[in-house]
Amino acid sequence: MPNFQVVMPLDVGILIPEDATVHSLKEITDKLDFSNLNRRYIRKPGRREATPKQLLEIIILGFMKCKYSLREIEEACRYDICFRYLLGGCRVPDHSRIGRFIRERLLGGAVEELFYQVVHELESRGEISGENLFVDGTKIEAYANRYSYVWSKAVGTNARKLADKTAALLEELSQIYAMELSDIAGAGEVLERLEALAQKQGIVFVHGCGKRKTQLQKHIEVLREFISKGKSYDDSMAIMGENRSSYSKTDHDATFMRMKEDHLGKGQLKPAYNVQLGVDSEYIVGLDVSAHRNDVLALVPLLKRMKQKGGLTHKKLTCDAGYDSEENHTYAEENGQIAFIKPQNYEKSKTRGYKTNAFLRENMPYNPEKDEYTCPAGHSLQHQGDRQRTTKSGFKQVVSLYETEACTGCPLKEKCTRAKENRVLVVSKTFLRQRATALDRFTSEEGVLLRMNRSIQVEGAFGVLKEDWGFRRFVRRGSVHVETEMFLYAIAFNVKKLHNKRTQNRLKTHLLYPQSIEKLLDTG
C-alpha cells in the first residue's frame, strides 16, 4: 500500500516570483470597492465558492495572459499557480459560472464603475496626470455572420414597392367584396373584415398538395404576407434608427463597416463596432463603443461619458484629422478644453497643387470689411445671408452663403465650378476660426510633442490589444455585452501597463520625449 503522509497546506503565493504580474493585479484590486458588485451576487452558504472579487481577478488575469476563452480560464484555475493564488483555496469555478458572472453580474455599469475606480486609483498614485488626453478609434469585428447584412436603402426601396402592391391589392379587394376604402383604416382592418367574411361563410382553410383554395383564402393569405413583410421592414428601420445605414441579422447593434482586414480582398464590408479610447500617461482612462462608421461623431459621446461616469475632464485634447469638425471644436471650447486637432486638409495644404490652385476657397482673396471673396476672374462673391443646418448628431451649425452673378459667359467657369448657374460658397466662419486656431496649436512646439505622444500612447494601446493580445474580434454579441468585454480589456491593459512601467523604472512618467523614447527602445 502507498504510504500517505499528512502535510500542512502550502501557501502557493510564496512560490510566485516577486516580479509576477499577478502581484500588480492583487495590489490594484485590493484597493477597489466591490460593495455594489457584492449586492448583485448571492453566494450559496456552506460552499467555498469564489467571491465576485476573486472571479473578476481571474478574468482580468486571463485577459492579461491572452486567455479569452472561458474554458481556458477554467483550466488555468486548475493548473496555473497564479490563478490558484487568486482563488485562495476556493473551489475552481467552471466556465459556465464564469460566463454567467460576466453576462449577468458585470452588466448595468458594474464593470464600468470598477474600471473608473482603477483609473482613480492610478490617478491617486500620480500615474495619471489629468492634463493631456489622447484619443483615437479603431474598428473591431463583431461576433456576427459576415453575410447577414440588412441595408436601409434596400429596406426603404422594398417598403415603397410593397406599399404600392398593398394599395393595388386593397383597391382590387374593395371592388370584389364591395368595401368602401374610405371607411377602412388600413390593411389590418381589411384583413379583419375578410376573416370575418370567411368565418361567416364557413370557409375552411386548406393547405397542401391536391387541395384547392378558395379565392377568399388566397386573398387573405396574400394580405397577411404583405402585412407581415411591412412589419418586418418597419422593425428593420427601427433597429437602424436615423444614423445607421445597415445592421447584422445576428447582432442587431453591429454596423457593416469597411475595415483594413478584407477577408475577400474585394473591398468587402464586415459587421463591426467603432471602439474609441482615451489615453492619459499611457493608461486607458476612457472608452466608448459606438455604431458610427467614422470617428468624427464618436468624440463627443466619449468625452461626455468620461465626464458623467468618471468625473474626468482633461485640460488638453489631442486627436487626429478624423475628429476635425465644428461640433468637436465647439464642445472643447464650451468645456474649457484646449483642442489639438489635426485639420483635415493639413497634409493636402502642403502640396504644390493645393497652394497653386486659385479656384479653391482657401486661396481666394477675402475682404473682411466688405465680407466678400474674389474669384480668379476678378468677380466678387458677395454675402447673401446665413442659414442654419443640423448635422446627423443634432448639432446646429450656422453657415454663410456667398454668390456671384457673373458666372454666365465666364471663360473660367468650367475650371471654377460644376454648378449650372453661379458658384456658391458655403462657409462656416466659426469653423474657419476654430481650424485656424487648431492649426497654430498643431504646428507649435507643444503641438508637435503632443501629436508624437498621441501616435505612441493611444495608437500604441491599440497595437498592444490587436497585435500583442490578438484582440481582433469580439466574442460577445450586443452593444451592452461588447462594452463589458471592452472594459475588461481596459482594466487588464492598465494593470499590465502599471506592471511594465514599474519594471522599466518609468513610474509617474506622463509624456514621452525624444530622448526618453530612444532610451525606451534601447532597453526594450
Side-chain angles (χ1 to χ4, degrees):
M1 292 182 61
N3 183 18
F4 293 101
Q5 182 179 1
V6 179
V7 295
M8 297 296 293
L10 176 67
D11 182 8
V12 296
I14 64 176
L15 301 178
I16 302 176
E18 294 182 359
D19 59 347
T21 56
V22 66
H23 292 306
S24 298
L25 173 60
K26 191 74 173 168
E27 176 187 345
I28 291 295
T29 54
D30 286 343
K31 298 291 185 179
L32 304 183
D33 180 14
F34 288 88
S35 58
N36 186 27
L37 190 60
N38 290 332
R39 285 194 293 268
R40 297 165 167 260
Y41 197 81
I42 301 177
R43 298 179 65 189
K44 297 181 180 179
R47 301 179 64 180
R48 289 184 56 81
E49 294 183 344
T51 64
K53 175 177 179 293
Q54 291 172 322
L55 289 174
L56 180 68
E57 287 174 343
I58 63 173
I59 294 170
I60 297 301
L61 183 60
F63 277 54
M64 292 168 63
K65 292 179 175 291
C66 299
K67 297 181 183 296
Y68 313 122
S69 169
L70 301 181
R71 296 180 185 271
E72 288 182 351
I73 296 177
E74 178 188 354
E75 184 179 5
C77 290
R78 297 184 185 277
Y79 305 111
D80 193 314
I81 191 172
C82 294
F83 287 84
R84 301 287 295 185
Y85 168 65
L86 293 176
L87 288 175
C90 293
R91 293 180 55 184
V92 174
D94 59 8
H95 63 276
S96 60
R97 185 175 173 220
I98 300 173
R100 287 195 303 271
F101 177 75
I102 297 175
R103 186 171 58 253
E104 300 174 3
R105 308 303 177 186
L106 293 181
L107 298 184
V111 67
E112 186 174 5
E113 178 190 354
L114 293 172
F115 165 75
Y116 281 113
Q117 285 190 45
V118 174
V119 172
H120 289 305
E121 173 62 24
L122 294 171
E123 187 177 16
S124 65
R125 297 174 177 225
E127 287 297 310
I128 294 176
S129 66
E131 181 81 12
N132 293 291
L133 180 68
F134 305 101
V135 179
D136 198 10
T138 191
K139 299 178 181 66
I140 303 294
E141 186 177 355
Y143 184 54
N145 191 299
R146 293 174 177 174
Y147 306 101
S148 59
Y149 36 74
V150 178
W151 302 100
S152 62
K153 189 175 292 185
V155 172
T157 301
N158 293 334
R160 288 190 294 270
K161 292 181 180 179
L162 180 65
D164 296 338
K165 289 182 180 180
T166 304
L169 177 63
L170 294 180
E171 183 67 28
E172 179 184 353
L173 296 177
S174 66
Q175 297 177 1
I176 295 176
Y177 300 102
M179 291 185 295
E180 292 291 338
L181 294 181
S182 58
D183 300 334
I184 300 175
E189 188 173 342
V190 173
L191 179 61
E192 292 178 359
R193 293 193 180 188
L194 294 181
E195 290 175 343
L197 180 61
Q199 186 177 4
K200 181 179 180 181
Q201 295 179 0
I203 297 177
V204 178
F205 285 14
V206 295
H207 304 279
C209 299
K211 298 181 180 180
R212 186 180 298 275
K213 297 180 180 180
T214 62
Q215 186 183 34
L216 181 57
Q217 179 182 349
K218 293 179 180 178
H219 286 153
I220 290 177
E221 290 179 350
V222 172
L223 190 56
R224 283 176 179 173
E225 182 183 359
F226 283 4
I227 294 175
S228 177
K229 282 186 177 180
K231 185 178 183 304
S232 67
Y233 293 150
D234 294 339
D235 293 341
S236 296
M237 296 304 294
I239 291 173
M240 283 179 281
E242 298 180 356
N243 298 326
R244 286 207 292 167
S245 60
S246 64
Y247 75 91
S248 171
K249 294 179 183 177
T250 51
D251 186 353
H252 291 175
D253 295 332
T255 304
F256 279 80
M257 306 178 185
R258 195 173 304 280
M259 304 177 67
K260 295 178 181 178
E261 301 86 1
D262 189 356
H263 57 290
L264 292 181
K266 298 180 180 179
Q268 298 291 315
L269 305 180
K270 291 182 182 179
Y273 290 93
N274 190 347
V275 178
Q276 299 289 317
L277 291 185
V279 176
D280 178 5
S281 306
E282 303 179 54
Y283 295 98
I284 298 176
V285 296
L287 69 88
D288 186 57
V289 179
S290 68
H292 299 302
R293 291 180 295 176
N294 50 39
D295 294 335
V296 69
L297 298 177
L299 179 61
V300 173
L302 170 66
L303 298 178
K304 287 183 177 179
R305 186 169 191 168
M306 292 177 60
K307 184 177 181 180
Q308 294 172 359
K309 302 292 185 178
L312 300 175
T313 302
H314 288 73
K315 297 179 181 179
K316 299 176 183 177
L317 178 67
T318 307
C319 311
D320 63 5
Y323 299 89
D324 184 28
S325 71
E326 182 178 343
E327 179 180 3
N328 294 336
H329 284 286
T330 302
Y331 182 86
E333 290 178 352
E334 292 176 349
N335 287 270
Q337 295 176 299
I338 303 175
F340 292 82
I341 301 179
K342 181 180 181 180
Q344 289 185 357
N345 61 346
Y346 176 72
E347 299 296 338
K348 186 183 293 185
S349 64
K350 296 188 294 184
T351 62
R352 182 178 179 182
Y354 183 94
K355 295 178 180 179
T356 58
N357 190 351
F359 298 99
L360 293 176
R361 194 270 313 159
E362 291 82 353
N363 296 332
M364 289 184 183
Y366 174 70
N367 189 338
E369 296 180 356
K370 296 183 179 180
D371 193 12
E372 64 180 20
Y373 289 88
T374 303
C375 71
H379 304 138
S380 298
L381 286 86
Q382 299 178 350
H383 184 213
Q384 303 297 321
D386 300 334
R387 72 178 183 186
Q388 187 181 78
R389 61 184 182 185
T390 306
T391 63
K392 289 184 178 180
S393 61
F395 177 74
K396 299 186 183 302
Q397 182 184 40
V398 178
V399 295
S400 301
L401 304 179
Y402 297 86
E403 184 179 1
T404 180
E405 299 179 354
C407 286
T408 305
C410 179
L412 301 178
K413 182 178 180 181
E414 294 184 358
K415 297 180 180 180
C416 184
T417 180
R418 295 181 181 179
K420 294 182 179 180
E421 298 180 356
N422 300 322
R423 180 173 181 178
V424 178
L425 298 180
V426 181
V427 180
S428 172
K429 297 180 180 179
T430 302
F431 189 33
L432 289 181
R433 174 187 59 80
Q434 293 170 341
R435 179 174 279 185
T437 304
L439 181 61
D440 294 337
R441 293 174 181 164
F442 188 76
T443 54
S444 65
E445 184 176 350
E446 182 184 15
V448 172
L449 175 64
L450 292 180
R451 75 193 199 208
M452 178 191 67
N453 273 267
R454 189 204 68 84
S455 63
I456 294 173
Q457 296 197 28
V458 66
E459 291 184 6
F462 280 124
V464 170
L465 294 175
K466 298 177 73 173
E467 297 296 336
D468 297 348
W469 292 13
F471 176 42
R472 296 281 182 169
R473 190 184 190 191
F474 288 105
V475 297
R476 291 166 181 82
R477 290 175 177 167
S479 59
V480 177
H481 299 282
V482 164
E483 284 187 351
T484 301
E485 183 178 350
M486 197 63 225
F487 276 113
L488 292 174
Y489 273 107
I491 295 174
F493 177 88
N494 286 344
V495 175
K496 190 70 174 290
K497 177 61 67 174
L498 174 65
H499 177 78
N500 292 340
K501 293 181 73 172
R502 178 184 288 119
T503 304
Q504 299 165 358
N505 294 322
R506 296 195 303 111
L507 292 177
K508 298 183 180 181
T509 57
H510 307 305
L511 289 178
L512 294 173
Y513 297 88
Q515 299 82 0
S516 60
I517 295 173
E518 294 177 0
K519 183 178 179 181
L520 180 62
L521 293 176
D522 292 338
T523 58

